[in-house]
Amino acid sequence: MKNRSMSFLLFFILVLFLIFGASTLGFAAAVPALEQVGSRFKAVSLEEAKKLYDQGATVIACHSHTTDFMKGHPVGTVHITCLVPKDHKRTDMPLSKIDFDIAQLPKDKTTPIITYCASNTWWKSYHSARLAVANGYTNVYWMRDGIKGWKNAG
């Protein structure tokens, strides 16, 4: 009986590790560094994003919930819900798995677009920028620091 209890306990711990622990050991991908984004779209600093915003760029909030958007955003920002699967923290996520209404982007595909999320660890804005480029948008910028960075910068 004692061996059976010990086996069950070890099995239970293994299952918990596989479910929750693997990502904490570094198996989850980190957000790509600014220099790794490449020519698909440009990752921009907060200062660059604010300059683009001041020049009339369209800012796209890529949140999964309206409540995140309602907590604050730059004036004129467009909220487009972005839903992704749990395994979205990788650069090779198939675009077909991302739920993002591309039709809400500006009709003119040369319009500068800045995508952002709630924080600098979320990937929704990264994948939204990928989708915009895949759909022919030519001036796409990814603000990696998210709205928290924007607010903290003043």
Side-chain angles (χ1 to χ4, degrees):
M1 182 74 168
K2 193 172 189 176
N3 283 341
R4 181 177 253 180
S5 295
M6 185 60 91
S7 295
F8 177 76
L9 179 62
L10 289 174
F11 174 76
F12 183 73
I13 290 170
L14 176 65
V15 168
L16 287 176
F17 170 76
L18 291 174
I19 293 172
F20 299 108
S23 66
T24 62
L25 291 177
F27 294 119
V31 176
L34 295 179
E35 63 275 4
Q36 293 176 334
V37 175
S39 62
R40 300 177 308 267
F41 54 88
K42 183 177 184 207
V44 292
S45 67
L46 288 167
E47 295 78 23
E48 291 171 302
K50 287 189 175 204
K51 185 176 179 182
L52 288 163
Y53 172 73
D54 290 341
Q55 294 170 352
T58 299
V59 180
I60 306 295
C62 309
H63 300 304
S64 55
H65 304 286
T66 304
T67 52
D68 289 331
F69 181 69
M70 297 310 293
K71 289 178 185 176
H73 52 272
V75 174
T77 298
V78 177
H79 173 244
I80 303 176
T81 301
C82 182
L83 302 174
V84 292
K86 289 188 178 194
D87 67 339
H88 71 280
K89 294 182 178 180
R90 56 185 229 238
T91 57
D92 65 343
M93 168 64 60
L95 296 178
S96 61
K97 291 188 175 190
I98 301 163
D99 185 0
F100 181 80
D101 187 2
I102 205 81
Q104 290 188 50
L105 292 178
K107 300 299 178 218
D108 179 357
K109 293 187 177 191
T110 64
T111 302
I113 296 170
I114 305 167
T115 64
Y116 77 83
C117 293
S119 74
N120 66 348
T121 59
W122 292 29
W123 285 68
K124 293 175 182 132
S125 58
Y126 176 83
H127 293 307
S128 298
R130 289 178 58 220
L131 268 171
V133 169
N135 281 275
Y137 287 85
T138 57
N139 292 310
V140 180
Y141 302 90
W142 172 48
M143 186 178 71
R144 181 178 168 179
D145 291 308
I147 193 61
K148 288 180 183 178
W150 184 285
K151 287 179 183 177
N152 291 338

